[in-house]
Amino acid sequence: MSKNKQKSISEKLVFQIKLFFRKYPSLPYILKWTLICSFIGVLIGSASAGFLQSLNWATDFRENNLWLIALLPIGGFLIGLLYFYFGKDAEAGNNLLIDTIHEPKQVIPFRMAPFVYIGTIATHFFGGSAGREGTALQMAGSIADQFSKPFKLSASDRKILIISAVAGGFGSVFGTPLAGAVFAIEFFLIGRIRYNALFPAFITAIIADIVTKLWQTPHTHYHINSIPDISFLNIIYAIVAGIFFGFCASTFSKVIHKTGNIFKSNILYPPLRPFVGGIIVALFVLILGTTKYIGLGIPTIVQSFDQQLPAYDFAIKMILTIITLSAGFKGGEVTPLFFIGATLGNALSLFIPLPTGLLAGMGFVAVFAGATNTPIACSIMAIELFGAECGVYVSIACVVSYLLSGHNSIYGRQMIGEAKHQRYANHEGKRLNEL
């Protein structure tokens, strides 16, 4: 075959390829993000698996050595020293991720991942009341952003990368990849969804979840025993429950920020804040005579679905979580919000005639929805965790809670894309901590 003929065939092949991609312009986008998200999904899933297994070990060790709770102030002081002297650029946590999604600047420091991991394990090891989602998100975001330069990503692509990382972290730590993907595109901009990140978010969340499970990392299973038929009266009951969940979410968001400001204004040396907070939490545990309100509180959450609990459980958990996190301990708010919501739903079953398990499941996700302004993600999360049969009830509760919680959130750097009510239209384009 002559060189001219070979050249002609090559040119025709190149032309056909270009023509194909012109006909299907989204295909290069799909291929590109499938490769990128598969890579970071494996890393994030592995990190989540290691974190969850470490957290289980720390919790079991503490429960078998309760004297460690007396050392909570010392643990808090050490966490404070670590961040004050070496981690100031990573201290903003989830709010740094939100800022990077809105306005990408410097690469998120990699030290955020090991620092938040160490801080969270120490918090749980010594008996603080905290969660795990914040740690998973920060580890995922800092790991993924290290590859924004090697992958030569534009500012727009870098935003998608961080959103995908959040999806992977959330989906893998809770075993809910669909909710993780929707949460990632919903949580940073209230009232608007960024659809150009939808495919990468789903791919990353699904792969990260698969990898976490391949590491044989278990997730907690929940079950709602009874779900009544849909009726007008039951819908009204769901709305009433959603109102309670919304007020609870709003209260939690407001008080945790105010308490944090109290610690900052009264204790000028940052490492002393978790020291003082640790003393308060440890004294609470001593007075209460139980450890059910510290750590993740998973056993109590599970119990709330099938047995009546003390009506004040949600309030005590709220107090201890607010003190722990406001003082500067590390972890997250979401699992404590699950506890607060599930036990509040359990308490509401005393006068709202819906099954206890259903109200616990509704509260589980609805308080979280109101505190993070993510009603769609939380509705999907409930379906993944409890089954599709509860979908109507949990969705009503989540949306009502979202509306009732107002422009408040545990994430102060969230931006308002669309106001929840036309009366607050002037809030659009502003961050919550600016209001």
Side-chain angles (χ1 to χ4, degrees):
M1 185 182 294
S2 65
K3 290 184 177 180
N4 289 335
K5 196 169 183 179
Q6 286 180 338
K7 185 177 181 182
S8 177
I9 293 173
S10 298
E11 288 175 347
K12 287 181 180 179
L13 182 61
V14 170
F15 176 76
Q16 290 296 325
I17 293 173
K18 288 182 178 179
L19 192 65
F20 178 79
F21 282 126
R22 285 175 187 171
K23 190 176 181 180
Y24 302 102
S26 295
L27 191 57
Y29 171 89
I30 293 173
L31 294 174
K32 168 186 172 180
W33 284 107
T34 298
L35 292 173
I36 293 174
C37 294
S38 297
F39 177 72
I40 66 170
V42 170
L43 296 179
I44 292 170
S46 298
S48 291
F51 167 60
L52 289 174
Q53 292 174 17
S54 300
L55 196 54
N56 289 337
W57 171 85
T59 300
D60 291 341
F61 193 87
R62 183 197 68 231
E63 289 301 302
N64 291 316
N65 299 273
L66 295 180
W67 56 269
L68 286 169
I69 299 173
L71 301 179
L72 183 60
I74 304 301
F77 185 68
L78 294 175
I79 294 171
L81 288 175
L82 178 67
Y83 271 84
F84 182 68
Y85 289 105
F86 304 104
K88 287 183 178 179
D89 55 348
E91 196 169 13
N94 291 336
N95 286 312
L96 177 58
L97 300 179
I98 293 173
D99 284 341
T100 304
I101 292 171
H102 286 301
E103 298 176 17
K105 294 178 181 178
Q106 294 182 344
V107 173
I108 296 172
F110 179 72
R111 72 183 66 183
M112 175 185 277
F115 278 25
V116 75
Y117 170 82
I118 293 169
T120 303
I121 296 300
T123 297
H124 286 272
F125 186 79
F126 293 110
S129 176
R132 52 193 171 178
E133 127 283 342
T135 306
L137 266 56
Q138 292 169 50
M139 289 173 62
S142 62
I143 290 171
D145 205 27
Q146 306 312 305
F147 297 96
S148 57
K149 287 184 178 180
F151 290 159
K152 298 181 180 179
L153 299 181
S154 64
S156 178
D157 283 348
R158 190 172 162 220
K159 294 179 181 181
I160 295 175
L161 180 71
I162 303 301
I163 292 171
S164 302
V166 169
F170 190 100
S172 59
V173 83
F174 293 120
T176 55
L178 302 184
V182 177
F183 175 85
I185 62 174
E186 191 179 20
F187 88 116
F188 63 93
L189 186 62
I190 299 173
R192 300 255 177 103
I193 290 179
R194 182 168 179 156
Y195 280 97
N196 68 339
L198 195 59
F199 175 76
F202 270 98
I203 291 295
T204 308
I206 291 168
I207 291 177
D209 180 54
I210 291 172
V211 171
T212 301
K213 290 173 180 174
L214 287 175
W215 284 107
Q216 298 183 347
T217 305
H219 293 290
T220 307
H221 297 282
Y222 306 94
H223 179 66
I224 298 176
N225 292 320
S226 175
I227 300 175
D229 293 334
I230 302 298
S231 68
F232 288 111
L233 190 58
N234 285 342
I235 289 174
I236 292 173
Y237 292 147
I239 292 172
V240 172
I243 292 172
F244 279 96
F245 298 141
F247 282 131
C248 179
S250 176
T251 300
F252 183 91
S253 299
K254 291 177 181 178
V255 175
I256 196 169
H257 292 304
K258 289 181 179 179
T259 307
N261 290 333
I262 290 172
F263 272 105
K264 290 176 183 178
S265 60
N266 289 281
I267 305 174
L268 299 181
Y269 185 54
L272 285 178
R273 295 168 194 161
F275 178 81
V276 174
I279 293 174
I280 297 172
V281 172
L283 287 175
F284 255 101
V285 175
L286 179 64
I287 293 169
L288 294 169
T290 177
T291 61
K292 68 182 288 186
Y293 303 108
I294 60 175
L296 296 174
I298 297 294
T300 304
I301 298 175
V302 173
Q303 290 173 4
S304 70
F305 282 80
D306 55 26
Q307 57 185 277
Q308 198 67 52
L309 300 177
Y312 51 77
D313 273 0
F314 79 95
I316 296 176
K317 182 64 173 178
M318 183 184 293
I319 292 169
L320 292 184
T321 302
I322 287 172
I323 294 171
T324 298
L325 297 177
S326 298
F329 285 93
K330 301 302 173 184
E333 299 91 345
V334 172
T335 305
L337 286 171
F338 292 162
F339 184 117
I340 293 165
T343 51
L344 174 58
N346 185 281
L348 292 178
S349 69
L350 294 172
F351 62 89
I352 295 180
L354 288 175
T356 300
L358 177 58
L359 282 166
M362 290 163 63
F364 184 106
V365 290
V367 173
F368 171 35
T372 59
N373 295 301
T374 55
I376 301 174
C378 292
S379 299
I380 294 173
M381 185 179 206
I383 292 171
E384 286 187 286
L385 290 175
F386 314 136
E389 294 82 4
C390 69
V392 171
Y393 291 104
V394 297
S395 297
I396 291 172
C398 286
V399 172
V400 172
S401 177
Y402 163 77
L403 293 172
L404 261 293
S405 65
H407 288 164
N408 298 288
S409 173
I410 58 175
Y411 307 131
R413 298 298 290 169
Q414 276 184 327
M415 185 178 289
I416 300 173
E418 185 173 334
K420 296 183 183 182
H421 191 279
Q422 60 182 6
R423 182 182 299 176
Y424 304 109
N426 61 323
H427 290 180
E428 292 180 2
K430 296 180 181 179
R431 299 184 190 271
L432 294 181
N433 60 2
E434 296 172 354
L435 299 178

